[in-house]
Amino acid sequence: MIGLGGNNGTTLCATILANRHNIAWGTKNGIQQPNYIGSMLRASTVRIGTDDSGKDVHVPVCDVLPMVHPNDLALGGWDISGLSMDKSMERAKVLDYDLQRQVKPHMALLPPPLPSVYYPDFIAANQEARADNLIPGEDKQAHLDHIRADIRKFKQDNDLDRVVVFWTANTERYSDIIPGINDTADALLRSIKESHAEVSPSTLFAVASILEGEPFVNGGPQNTFVPGCIELAERHKAFIGGDDLKSGQTKLKSVFAEFLVNAGIKPLSIASYNHLGNNDGYNLSSERQFKSKEISKSSVVDDMVDANRLLYKGPEIGPKGAALDKGEHPDHIVVIKYVPAVGDSKRAIDEYYSEIFCGGRSTINIFNECEDSLLATPLILDLAILAELLTRVQYRKGTEGGEFQPLYSVLSLLSYMLKAPLVKPGTEVVNALGRQRNALESFLKACVGLETNTDLLLDTRIW
Amino acid sequence: MIGLGGNNGTTLCATILANRHNIAWGTKNGIQQPNYIGSMLRASTVRIGTDDSGKDVHVPVCDVLPMVHPNDLALGGWDISGLSMDKSMERAKVLDYDLQRQVKPHMALLPPPLPSVYYPDFIAANQEARADNLIPGEDKQAHLDHIRADIRKFKQDNDLDRVVVFWTANTERYSDIIPGINDTADALLRSIKESHAEVSPSTLFAVASILEGEPFVNGGPQNTFVPGCIELAERHKAFIGGDDLKSGQTKLKSVFAEFLVNAGIKPLSIASYNHLGNNDGYNLSSERQFKSKEISKSSVVDDMVDANRLLYKGPEIGPKGAALDKGEHPDHIVVIKYVPAVGDSKRAIDEYYSEIFCGGRSTINIFNECEDSLLATPLILDLAILAELLTRVQYRKGTEGGEFQPLYSVLSLLSYMLKAPLVKPGTEVVNALGRQRNALESFLKACVGLETNTDLLLDTRIW
Amino acid sequence: MIGLGGNNGTTLCATILANRHNIAWGTKNGIQQPNYIGSMLRASTVRIGTDDSGKDVHVPVCDVLPMVHPNDLALGGWDISGLSMDKSMERAKVLDYDLQRQVKPHMALLPPPLPSVYYPDFIAANQEARADNLIPGEDKQAHLDHIRADIRKFKQDNDLDRVVVFWTANTERYSDIIPGINDTADALLRSIKESHAEVSPSTLFAVASILEGEPFVNGGPQNTFVPGCIELAERHKAFIGGDDLKSGQTKLKSVFAEFLVNAGIKPLSIASYNHLGNNDGYNLSSERQFKSKEISKSSVVDDMVDANRLLYKGPEIGPKGAALDKGEHPDHIVVIKYVPAVGDSKRAIDEYYSEIFCGGRSTINIFNECEDSLLATPLILDLAILAELLTRVQYRKGTEGGEFQPLYSVLSLLSYMLKAPLVKPGTEVVNALGRQRNALESFLKACVGLETNTDLLLDTRIW
Amino acid sequence: MIGLGGNNGTTLCATILANRHNIAWGTKNGIQQPNYIGSMLRASTVRIGTDDSGKDVHVPVCDVLPMVHPNDLALGGWDISGLSMDKSMERAKVLDYDLQRQVKPHMALLPPPLPSVYYPDFIAANQEARADNLIPGEDKQAHLDHIRADIRKFKQDNDLDRVVVFWTANTERYSDIIPGINDTADALLRSIKESHAEVSPSTLFAVASILEGEPFVNGGPQNTFVPGCIELAERHKAFIGGDDLKSGQTKLKSVFAEFLVNAGIKPLSIASYNHLGNNDGYNLSSERQFKSKEISKSSVVDDMVDANRLLYKGPEIGPKGAALDKGEHPDHIVVIKYVPAVGDSKRAIDEYYSEIFCGGRSTINIFNECEDSLLATPLILDLAILAELLTRVQYRKGTEGGEFQPLYSVLSLLSYMLKAPLVKPGTEVVNALGRQRNALESFLKACVGLETNTDLLLDTRIW
Ligand SMILES: NC(=O)C1=CN([C@@H]2O[C@H](COP(=O)(O)OP(=O)(O)OC[C@H]3O[C@@H](n4cnc5c(N)ncnc54)[C@H](O)[C@@H]3O)[C@@H](O)[C@H]2O)C=CC1
Ligand SMILES: NC(=O)C1=CN([C@@H]2O[C@H](COP(=O)(O)OP(=O)(O)OC[C@H]3O[C@@H](n4cnc5c(N)ncnc54)[C@H](O)[C@@H]3O)[C@@H](O)[C@H]2O)C=CC1
Ligand SMILES: NC(=O)C1=CN([C@@H]2O[C@H](COP(=O)(O)OP(=O)(O)OC[C@H]3O[C@@H](n4cnc5c(N)ncnc54)[C@H](O)[C@@H]3O)[C@@H](O)[C@H]2O)C=CC1
Ligand SMILES: NC(=O)C1=CN([C@@H]2O[C@H](COP(=O)(O)OP(=O)(O)OC[C@H]3O[C@@H](n4cnc5c(N)ncnc54)[C@H](O)[C@@H]3O)[C@@H](O)[C@H]2O)C=CC1
């Protein structure tokens, strides 16, 4: 993990340790057991058919194919803050007091975060105070080599088959896409060599992973995967996935919008407000970083709108067949505010205002309160475990002959956990959560020769 | 329609007339056109594949197969209130003032509701004042014959191929299931002949439709379809569907619960409050009628809970393999209150309180305001049109030989629009809205030889 | 306290101990200090004038007159559950885990609750399992004597000037007011002697306090103060106050309704929903106990409505000048539901739907989540301390001559903390929170010779 | 009115006309009568004492002193948009369709808005399209003279005693306070003569009114009343009042914060979100104009916080006795977004997150939907009528001798209707709504010799 000492990083480590060592803790409601609730792999099921009596049979998603158990992951990573892992966990203020108390000695045994690269232009100025744990120098090529060595060493020290590199560090500003600088693989590599200003830390980590042949997942919203980076991954048949953990509001929105539009109801406006008081919120209170988040949060309804030209007029088409505008769209605003008092307990407020039958209106107002990092952490686990799994899947075209190949570099099957899913350049993004899950289920089932759910249940419809 | 003069009945008629005669009306925001927004058939689309450039192609659901257009429906029905249709529309207070003003003369041309049967024990006492338009006498067999004659006459007068009989009259109390009275088809017919007290008006209408060979749909929550009624439908290969229009809160709940449980999140409690001030609410302020509604609203999360035994402990199993209890379930309460001031503008408030990762909690509070009848009316249209369509579908088992048969009597494919879907006895109910829609889509597509969406989109995942 | 082992009782004891022993505790957000936040006496201020520079001067309410400090209260009481105080605190699940952990040994040192009277007809049947600590026998006179002896002993053992007896036990059903049984002081005393079924435990405790000359406050909603009980208090010039702690939703409602009506806005309906999962909620899930709560919650807007006959039509007046109906009123519903999952963390949801200018509508929807007992406990403190203070206030009529007298028995000045304030029979109830506070402030200030706030601030309005 | 053709301006005119001509209109709920609901003067009451039987007696606020009836107001004003009044009303989309339809011919008879001054730097660039009705030239002195002449002519033409000039035009950006330019009366007059860029339209109108001796009220949030403007008013003993109509969210906040802090509860954060889709919202989507609004909305809780140093630590005091910081404050954010779809139907969402007893937390989330202009219009009426009334009040110091004087220029008694009340320089602002109303009531009652409510109700507290 990059950002190991942050809220997500420390929560992930502490909860894995609690699960591994079976630490139960006291709360005012009684004893709480550690668990993996919130992980779709470990806490949800998939329907694989019916039994003799016609009853549905469901199995845990993680049992469809052999997957790594989160307890078995080796933990480590980088952070620009060198604070020890137990202290970092306290700083995060995410976990219950008595869990913190008990897991603290275990956390203290973890190695502190490795030094990382800090290019102040990319994250909020207010983060500077944390940056006390840096790889020295300004030479980006040297930084790249340093990171690659870190990856190799971690793999070797822990005797691992596979390292998944995961960006859960602060949201960076967007990188400008500059021809000759980051638009091709070669340009990007050259830019690193020349320590070009527009190479972000996250892109550097992505490049390091690609060159090491290890999968890289971007849990932040920024455009880590500049075109040159994607090309590099393709060239090396390395795996990449992103962007931005889809933990709460956006996930719900991708459900809600799908539901409404599918029901023939026309959302006219979606107003989404958030406030939170953790370090992520602090970083996002800076305009350019917020921008990255705003972008990743904004496109989520687009595919549903585009899919329903009965409700939304399509773009006007010019004489040459090109769209002259974006077509009709619901008004959509996204606001994120930093409110220290609420800490990690994020509040997300959404209003859906829709047109219904014959001029009627429906107003749906949603208030959502949730420990942000407790939603995000299981997603990180799911992404890491799925990414590893997908590196092991091979296919061949046609029924026989031909060699088996690995999957395509961009792991769009991870979309279910991501706000702004990265897909193969030139193909369409699917944001509808139902379709994303359907894709993942169908894929896993196909790997073991099971069919997709049609829900036809024909025997219940015929004589 | 039974309940023609009610909010749903008059709204349906007036909006069809507005669409048919292309009546636009003034609102404070400008001119409003009539439409069928909110109808999944006429306002939503289905993905049928990709075009040459790899782009998704969507078509209106109503274009997948030939279906009746709502504008072409012939309108008529019964009501215990004999008020003329234009006056009934005014009483309903659902439609915009200027739409009412313009459509009024058209409504006045519709024949007033036919006299109906009124068995006071079945609906709330507060409805008595409306009951001024009754088929005379107390003889239920005579009532049945009267209704059958009404159906035949309507068919003939309007020169129709098919009549869909739709219960959108007041919610009745539950009928007791009494051996020898309504548990078999024969018993039920005998009970009608003997004017047994436990035969409800809605059951009487269902029986009439079955005997006339016309499909019957129950838009109310009561158990119209007593076992004897289902057996009768099977015997006559007639079509029935129900129960209870799934317009707002419950629909959303079937989306929400599916979403949460699928994400590995564990709802601990769902608290659902409603208040409304129309005649439906007035009727439901009576305890026994509320009970019917409570039942139909309560079971909606059961199948999702049962499908995930990672989150919810299953029932304890006794020595003989039978379940000793219902297993772990979220707390679930449903409240409906009559608040005259809000009129037809129903408010639905839901709190979802869930357990997330490692003892965390998520609170989601939803406030929903909507003209109730404007949500319900397009569902009635969809149900009627789909029911008609399904009477025309035939299948045969095996690839060749054998005769074509009509579908099974209980039209469970209508589930998407129904709160408590009636299914083939002995088979499992699917409440998850996503699965219900998937079933419907898959079925319609299968009729024209198209495949179900797997969302695999393989070409975007491989090289 | 009666109900010492309940949520309010144990929370009160534990927090006083934490304050007294200065126990700070760990939470995930850091170290938490004990405090009296939420007590209007100890955490709010009153404006007593302006300083030389014209700036407002505010002092803590508790500094206006000499009052008991909560830390100095002696703690004790009765409960039908004999569980020790430390175990009771754990059962209550109200306080933070680490506070419970530290305060536990102190709680263990408190004497366990004294045995109490349990008349099963008065509280919910579901409470029976708790009732293991009872004063033996069925003789109500003996019970009365027993309780009086308990009060005397507690006073003596702790060497106290004053004992305040406080009902914070379960909500009882309403007592029927029966002529000759509880409508006069004599009748009531006789009924006790005869162990009449309609004498409730809370009335018995009130009578005991009155006879002992100690103030009695009723924190529950039931009609403890039957007419005979009030007369008895008057006869003995003893002090009584009630009913029902105004902690959350109702308090807010008395603010909101006052605000709206004062602004010339007309509430058309108020829909109030609650759910909670503690033992109080469990008890209230029983119909008759809920009824008591419903009554105390329902009247809260009446005085504001009656005060504004511009918005609400008054009652029709009959030929003899008597009101023929209640006059126009907003629709007002109150629902309380038991939802175990939420524990003591009560959710209160309110919708205010109002008529504004020229037919406009305003919808205000409020969602409130709060640890119920943490709201209620400071109110108990304020009530007890104020009640004690008021026993010490004396007045005489006219400027000189005449004897000083104690205040009237019914302490209506406590209204600010009470949902259904008990007032002198025949006088009007004030529910508007602003006016209640104004009364209390004015009174306290008058005692030390300060004037009421007019807010005229004349020097800022003139030259 | 300045801004006559806007939402507030046209709504005011149309509703007065509807009231004056007694126009009732059709809505889907039936016939609606015109009224002045939402006006505290005409729709709320004040308690003036008790009758013989001890019952409270309330009278309409407007009956305490002789006041102008809104129906008797003469209507006119300026707008940079020259659209006729009937067309402007349609553009506003505020009033019910059938009211618009009927009142339209009356509106058409009103003179169109007078040309006004438009200094593009002060309002949002997106307003430029409207600016088609301008006083020619760039000479601000000439503009001033033009406006003064307009005022005189209006007074004469309508044969009036008093003209109240009311700013309900678009929110302007803040003016910079520049020494020698607008910090003194003389400087300001000179700056106008020199057409200095920093003189805003609203200040120009204020100066015109002051010089004409007519009261001026600022319904917008901008700092129209630069120091020189206030000095000019004082010099001419002319009356001014402002700023910013307190219609919805802020009004509620001044109630809520007062309530919480008075109850000893400590708000930790207040997050306020708004979205609206009318022209006001469009103008506020521009950063500098939003800033004005943000300022006027932000200070509303300050006085309550400052009044309670038990909950909030005071500022650190430096060696010389001066405050080194602002002291402890709740986090407070205000967001306004432009969402065209919702039109004039503004949504205001507020979260109050508070600390309660012993580390507990209370979360209150409020969702408010309301036609914005229907809230604002009655406030404009109240302000205009009160301002006129206050010009007629005279006082003298001491009990006899001395001359009667008019009130001080800055009419702080108008605070109840204003978000950021302008008060005498150097004195403290009172935002608490309860105190503001108390002041107004006390003042009106004092004028007729009635006492302020102490709510002591002594006869109910003593024997
Ligand atoms: N918590 C959540 O629910 C979600 C979080 N995310 C994203 O995940 C990321 C992390 O979130 P949190 O853990 O809450 O934030 P955090 O601010 O607590 O942690 C981020 C950590 O990254 C470190 N860091 C910053 N720049 C670095 C660099 N160049 N190299 C190494 N370390 C660096 C910081 O020192 C900090 O410890 C953010 O981008 C956030 O937007 C996305 C969706 C949901
Ligand atoms: N409006 C909605 O959104 C939804 C409505 N429903 C159900 O649909 C039904 C109708 O709802 P509304 O139209 O709003 O109610 P409504 O009360 O306005 O109309 C019902 C009509 O049925 C008539 N009626 C009662 N008993 C009858 C009988 N035996 N024969 C003939 N007519 C009879 C009544 O006179 C009335 O005109 C109710 O059962 C309701 O629960 C279900 C879901 C949603
Ligand atoms: N917690 C709150 O916010 C508010 C509470 N109240 C009222 O305060 C009362 C107490 O509330 P909680 O402490 O939450 O309830 P609780 O159920 O936790 O405690 C009540 C206690 O009273 C005991 N009890 C019952 N009958 C008794 C009897 N006859 N003699 C002695 N003890 C008896 C029970 O064993 C139990 O320990 C209830 O009436 C409730 O409605 C009122 C307003 C607010
Ligand atoms: N509607 C509401 O609830 C509240 C409104 N306000 C304030 O009241 C003001 C008016 O609000 P709306 O009527 O809703 O806005 P609006 O945008 O509908 O109307 C403003 C009118 O002012 C005109 N205008 C702009 N500059 C002018 C100038 N220099 N001279 C003459 N006319 C000019 C515009 O052409 C427009 O017709 C705004 O400042 C708003 O912030 C304040 C509180 C509440």
Side-chain angles (χ1 to χ4, degrees), chain A residues 20-34:
Chain A
R20 193 185 284 164
H21 299 293
N22 214 6
I23 297 173
W25 63 97
T27 75
K28 68 171 158 180
N29 295 313
I31 296 301
Q32 174 71 42
Q33 300 296 332

Side-chain angles (χ1 to χ4, degrees), chain B residues 268-269 271 273-275 331 333-335 337-342 347 349 351 353 361 363 365 367 369, chain C residues 268-269 271 273-275 331 333-335 337-342 347 349 351 353 361 363 365 367 369:
Chain B
L268 298 175
S269 65
Y273 302 109
N274 297 271
H275 54 277
D331 299 335
I333 59 162
V334 174
V335 172
K337 287 280 164 184
Y338 177 55
V339 175
V342 303
R347 285 91 210 281
I349 300 165
E351 189 199 52
Y353 182 60
R361 291 291 184 269
T363 301
N365 204 279
F367 171 66
E369 182 185 340
Chain C
L268 297 175
S269 65
Y273 302 109
N274 297 269
H275 53 277
D331 299 334
I333 59 162
V334 174
V335 172
K337 286 281 164 182
Y338 178 55
V339 176
V342 303
R347 285 92 209 280
I349 299 164
E351 189 199 50
Y353 182 60
R361 291 291 184 268
T363 300
N365 204 279
F367 172 65
E369 182 185 340

Side-chain angles (χ1 to χ4, degrees), chain B residues 261-318:
Chain B
V261 173
N262 265 348
I265 291 174
K266 180 181 180 177
L268 298 175
S269 65
I270 305 178
S272 296
Y273 302 109
N274 297 271
H275 54 277
L276 73 176
N278 56 15
N279 189 51
D280 181 25
Y282 194 34
N283 182 57
L284 293 173
S285 66
S286 163
E287 187 57 23
R288 292 194 302 169
Q289 282 66 32
F290 164 68
K291 216 74 211 165
S292 298
K293 201 67 159 190
E294 193 182 29
I295 293 172
S296 95
K297 283 186 150 235
S298 292
S299 55
V300 67
V301 298
D302 291 357
D303 55 329
M304 300 145 207
V305 165
D306 288 344
N308 190 327
R309 290 298 169 207
L310 296 169
L311 292 175
Y312 299 95
K313 270 190 235 107
E316 215 174 317
I317 301 298

